Amino acid sequence: MLKAVNFETGSATLNPSSYAMLDSAAALFKQDKELRYEIQGHADNVGTVETNRLLSAARAGTVKNYIVSKGVPERNVIATGYGSEKPIADNSTAAGRANNRRVEIVLIESQEKYDALRAAEAAQRADVQQANIRGAQQAAVEPEPEPEPVVEPEPEPEPEPEVVAEPEPEPEPEPGPEPEAVAEPEPEPEPADDKKCAFLFSIRPELVWGVKSSADSKGGNIGIGFVRNSLFFEVDLGGGDEYFGGDLNLGYILHGSGRMKNVIGLNGGYWERKSMVEVERDGETLGERGEYTKNYGGIFWKLLYGKRHNLDITNKFLFGNRKEYTATASGNEQGWSWEGRDNNFSVTYSLSIGYTFINVKN
């Protein structure tokens, strides 16, 4: 890749800072005149596909014209433009677009490939001339005719060589100053987007162990929230075979490698479990008896894998106060009454595995 080859914006006119690199390339081409090269022009995705193709072809032609002017046979160099067809970086960033605007030199290894590229070059040259691209006149180099094969005559017998005194070696010329290195232009920094806010939606089946009352349970959650920079906010609503409630999760995203993201933080909420049995007296159902349990807060760790569509593995550790109530039969008109107990500390662990969608830009 010719990294130090630059052009004026929107044209095929070479920047003078590119001459040193092209002089080095021309010197390399002249070392072996049997080798043939393709000069490829590439562009980013700004503008139409056709405009990028013609501009990249014109720029490749400008580079070819310069190299031919330095003594390289025109038939050994073919210029073609590929536009935005072959990106090497992400066009959504300024740095990626700068890397995609490039000129590359590729060795042509077969006659079949050479003939196909020669035909493509002729067609593109006509399109570039009609498009009237600024600076494209530099690329208007007509191809030299292929040399006709020369039949070498049979060699005549060589006369015996005469003894000639070897001349004294001429002093080697002093080396000239080395060409100054041309600094590659730094890519324009992308503006910081501190105000970007991405919304999220999750759905996760859940298994619960510990004390939400006196037994384990299973259920599911639906979550909604948002991500702002590295802040994670989510509200979970759900329930199971014997409980219901909701959580508020507030955490910080620790970005891992690739698509993996870890989220740690605090959560708080209200979860309630209800397990009831009927109370009968003299064959008549008077009411129900059972217990309710509350959990108030804790910590969570969430693993997200993906970009927009994520595998979601969430672990929660809940600590809180549990209240139990029991309905018993009595002699009043309702037929039953409540008795309660407070301050029963409970610890609960839940594991949920599901799917989370985050509408963040890739």
Side-chain angles (χ1 to χ4, degrees):
M1 182 188 300
L2 299 178
K3 291 187 176 181
V5 176
N6 300 301
F7 301 86
E8 294 182 7
T9 303
S11 78
T13 302
L14 273 173
N15 191 307
S17 64
S18 305
Y19 295 159
M21 174 63 73
L22 295 180
D23 289 342
S24 299
L28 178 64
F29 288 4
K30 289 189 290 185
Q31 290 180 4
D32 190 342
K33 295 187 178 182
E34 298 299 321
L35 297 180
R36 297 177 291 187
Y37 301 89
E38 178 192 10
I39 299 177
Q40 298 181 350
H42 299 274
D44 57 27
N45 66 345
V46 177
T48 65
V49 173
E50 182 64 13
T51 298
N52 288 332
R53 183 182 71 87
L54 294 177
L55 179 58
S56 64
R59 288 178 169 178
T62 298
V63 173
K64 171 182 175 178
N65 190 31
Y66 184 92
I67 291 177
V68 170
S69 72
K70 298 299 179 179
V72 178
E74 188 279 340
R75 63 179 176 276
N76 288 6
V77 185
I78 295 178
T80 50
Y82 293 90
S84 57
E85 293 179 11
K86 298 181 177 182
I88 60 173
D90 189 355
N91 272 312
S92 66
T93 66
R97 293 190 293 272
N99 288 332
N100 288 332
R101 297 189 297 269
R102 67 196 190 277
V103 175
E104 296 182 348
I105 295 178
V106 179
L107 180 66
I108 302 174
E109 298 181 348
S110 68
Q111 183 64 36
E112 181 181 359
K113 180 68 173 179
Y114 177 85
D115 294 339
L117 290 173
R118 199 69 162 171
E121 179 190 41
Q124 282 192 344
R125 185 185 302 108
D127 293 340
V128 168
Q129 290 175 349
Q130 292 180 0
N132 195 24
I133 296 175
R134 184 159 52 93
Q137 65 272 11
Q138 300 182 47
V141 179
E142 293 298 327
E144 297 177 358
E146 292 286 338
E148 296 182 1
V150 178
V151 180
E152 298 182 359
E154 295 183 1
E156 297 180 0
E158 297 182 1
E160 294 185 3
E162 298 179 2
V163 178
V164 180
E166 295 184 1
E168 296 183 1
E170 297 181 2
E172 296 183 1
E174 296 183 0
E178 296 183 359
E180 296 182 1
V182 180
E184 185 177 353
E186 297 182 359
E188 299 178 0
E190 292 192 64
D193 189 4
D194 293 335
K195 298 183 179 179
K196 182 169 62 177
C197 182
F199 293 92
L200 63 90
F201 169 79
S202 63
I203 180 169
R204 303 185 304 274
E206 182 182 38
L207 297 176
V208 178
W209 294 272
V211 182
K212 280 193 175 177
S213 66
S214 58
D216 302 334
S217 184
K218 57 182 179 293
N221 291 331
I222 295 177
I224 56 175
F226 66 87
V227 175
R228 183 182 178 89
N229 295 336
S230 295
L231 179 66
F232 180 91
F233 176 85
E234 182 182 32
V235 176
D236 278 343
L237 300 174
D241 51 358
E242 295 180 347
Y243 72 95
F244 63 92
D247 272 354
L248 176 65
N249 303 320
L250 180 63
Y252 185 83
I253 300 176
L254 302 174
H255 293 279
S257 60
R259 297 169 176 259
M260 186 173 296
K261 299 176 284 294
N262 288 281
V263 186
I264 60 173
L266 302 176
N267 67 325
Y270 175 88
W271 291 94
E272 191 168 277
R273 184 177 187 274
K274 182 179 181 181
S275 177
M276 306 295 290
V277 296
E278 293 182 348
V279 177
E280 296 183 356
R281 185 176 61 187
D282 299 332
E284 180 183 358
T285 300
L286 300 180
E288 296 179 318
R289 61 183 299 173
E291 59 184 17
Y292 291 78
T293 302
K294 301 177 183 179
N295 288 287
Y296 289 97
I299 59 176
F300 76 93
W301 167 58
K302 183 188 293 284
L303 174 65
L304 297 174
Y305 183 81
K307 289 187 177 180
R308 291 179 182 269
H309 306 282
N310 293 265
L311 171 67
D312 186 328
I313 303 175
T314 300
N315 301 268
K316 294 180 183 179
F317 299 88
L318 301 175
F319 311 92
N321 181 52
R322 184 178 66 177
K323 293 184 179 181
E324 297 182 358
Y325 295 90
T326 302
T328 60
S330 66
N332 56 23
E333 294 180 358
Q334 288 80 14
W336 49 279
S337 63
W338 287 102
E339 295 179 359
R341 292 183 298 170
D342 294 338
N343 300 320
N344 293 301
F345 184 74
S346 63
V347 179
T348 304
Y349 167 73
S350 70
L351 169 66
S352 59
I353 302 176
Y355 163 81
T356 293
F357 171 78
I358 303 177
N359 71 328
V360 66
K361 296 180 180 179
N362 290 332

